[in-house]
Amino acid sequence: MRVVTFFLVGLAVHVVFFLSIFDIYFTSPLVHGMTPQKVSLAPPASRIVLLVADGLRADSLFSLLPNGSSRAPYLRSVMEDRGTWGVSHTHVPTESRPGHVALIAGFYEDVSAVAKGWKENPVEFDSVFNESRHTWSWGSPDILPMFAKGASGDHVYTHTYPAVEEDFASTDASRLDTWVFTQVKAFFQSARSNSSLKDILQEDQNVFFLHLLGIDTNGHAHRPQSREYQENIGLVDSGVEELVSVIEDFYHHDGRTAYVFTSDHGMTNWGSHGAGHASETLTPLVAWGAGVQVAQRPLEPQQYTDGYQQGTSPTLYLMLNADIAPLMASLIGVPFPLNSVGMLPLLYLDNSGRFKAESMYTNAMQMLEQFKVKMAQRKETTLSFLFTPFQLCVCVTVVISVFLVIQKSPLTYYIYCLLPVPIWYSVFRESGTLMDLVRSAPSLPLWKCLGYFLLIAFGIELLVVSFFHRAMLTVGLAALSLWPILTGIYSQAKFRAVSWTLGCVCLSTFPLMPVVGREANVHFMLHVAVCAYVPTLTHSSLEQKQGLPLINQVISWTTLASSMVVPLLSSTRLFHRLLSVFLSLSATFLLLSTGSEALFPPMLSWLMFVWINMEQEAMQAQGTSSRQELSTMDFADNIDITRIRQLKLDDIRRSYFFVFFIITAFFGTGNIASINSFDPASVYCFLTVFNPFIMGGLMMWKVIIPFVIVMCTFETIQVTTQLSSRSLFLIVLVISDLMALVSHFLLANSVLCPCGFSSVGSISHYVIVMSMTIFLMLLSVATHILTSCRLTAWRRRKSHFP
């Protein structure tokens, strides 16, 4: 019962630590109650057409073909003769929803939207669409509804295709863009015979928004260098040309229409986006029409190193995606979005000096309105990690409470400030376990004790640094490979020692492999397992544009569902159960792999088996136990309490090894802190229709599988070393919390970006460490079930009747 209480209390405490960072840094950047600001002078445009080519990279549009021609000849002619163009910089995370929010609302969205799949509004926000008289939009059901939902009134109209159309296995994803252009042309055609609609369209301050998803979908499915991606750019270009002709004819070429063509984000060479690589953050921008400056050719070559300027191109202007919102507001004369942080790009405006000056003044006043109501609060939770004397617990509680009452602090302050009191009270109650460890220290030389703890401190710092540089895991594995030699185990168990060294060396190659950028190489996996036939056939079918075979989908989901059940049917003997778990999980991991990372679970499993045997050798060398074959030991056996020994210094090393292998399992083949580590092709065996929650869940399971392998190994070591799981896990929590504390201080020093809003990347490391601690607590229960429980087939009992 005490063990259960220990885990529950520890879980609750770490959940508070985890949630505190969201309370401190993940609060919404938006404030309300500002006075709307707009330019008082007559605007140059009556209407604006915003075209967003989702997933279009800047270089893909601007670069010329080998023969000197452009894959987008119409937009190229606009750039050279009639409009202004440049490169716009989007913001991390480079995803569709935050990208569109930046374009249309002018701010970088609260990261809490990621928990809702970038689909729902975590907070209401103002936008150019909301400030317009009317907005008509066509495109994806994932993007359009959020701007209609956030608008006051019913003046934002959406026209979307079914979500099932967003299929990465589609024979031609460019049909999504064709659908949009067809719908818009039909809309203007119908307005000619609909007098009420025609009158509304003749009003000023109207917006037309076209969301073009085909390029992004083709990029995910076929990569940006593919024929499908490049041809889709040409289709969009011709569609824009025809659309402009239709609109200009409808308005009788009145010269009052402004056009903006851009993208929400780019895409990496391997077909993903989400992080801060230049291929993801640099997007094209072309503006022309009413009120837009005509670019002048530079007299001298510009110094621009991104490599997108070609030949004698027009002047290249650089701006942020958030700057497009105030640009559109200024062009059609609507109030600037209340929460916009964008700076009005004057170089794009073609108007009088007075109009430009007043536009700048309006932009500044709109910023000032936010500053007046924004109150930045910084709270620290560090006290929860620090020491509070036992005999002062009650006094400290009273003093802190009185202080917080006087300060009229919010409820969360009480939690953060008072939490250390029960934590350290519990530490003193568990002081017996720690004293056992202290008593074992005098039996060792002083230099060895100091060296031991210095190595642990260095090891913890190495793990923290590995969050920033995965190659540090290679350094750590290289150091771990020397363990048998440094401790003398090599002399008594040469084969196992060599196996350990080779296992560490082989596993150390994975952190050196690129997290992203690898091309799918499913044929390589044929040598790993028969299961590779499914991804091979799947990718082959997708390349031939034949869709996802139903039988492959059934096999994949069946394998996934059975991976946690099949091990429970095997014997609970250590070797048999571990082998069953490792093979079952490796098969699922294989279905979620696109290349050499499929070798990671087998390699990790090999090293884990060796680690178990090495720990037995270490125990035998210390004379604390006799060696026992794994095949004769059983997870289901009740542990004899009298055989459980006290903690020793070597148990700190075991716990550190466990934490190190957990981090290696986490970052060995990827980096979940970097969103663009996600390769959509990894889930194609299961589904191809875009669904962020199912796809994200599958990728999360892929991340968890190495965790389970390491966790099952640690469970085995607890059994074989005859040590209480509670004692070992206590050391693990201390190591994890030390890592969290270091990450917390790094976070406090670097969390704010220049614009004053939270940076996702700087927070993610602390979140990972804290969530890892919570996750390990929950996973320990799950792995105990996975290793100790067994399902037996139901048998009908015989009955005897008289």
Side-chain angles (χ1 to χ4, degrees), residues 55-64 71 76 79 85-89 229 233 263 265-267 278-285 304 306-310 316:
L56 177 59
R57 292 161 42 144
D59 60 337
S60 297
L61 180 69
F62 294 152
S63 298
L64 298 176
R71 61 178 56 90
R76 186 75 183 188
M79 291 159 50
W85 68 279
V87 172
S88 56
H89 291 228
Y229 185 91
I233 296 176
S263 177
H265 57 74
M267 185 171 291
S279 61
E280 302 165 88
T281 60
L282 301 181
T283 54
L285 174 63
Y304 184 53
D306 282 344
Y308 296 134
Q309 187 175 0
Q310 300 291 329
L316 183 66

Side-chain angles (χ1 to χ4, degrees), residues 693-706:
F693 289 106
I694 296 180
M695 289 180 168
L698 289 170
M699 292 305 301
M700 184 59 67
W701 180 237
K702 181 181 180 180
V703 172
I704 290 175
I705 285 175

Side-chain angles (χ1 to χ4, degrees), residues 19 140 159 226 280 286 307 348 374 430 583 615 696 741 775:
L19 295 179
S140 167
H159 307 273
S226 65
E280 302 165 88
V286 183
Y348 280 78
K374 185 184 292 289
E430 299 296 333
L583 290 179
E615 291 295 353
L741 187 59
F775 178 68

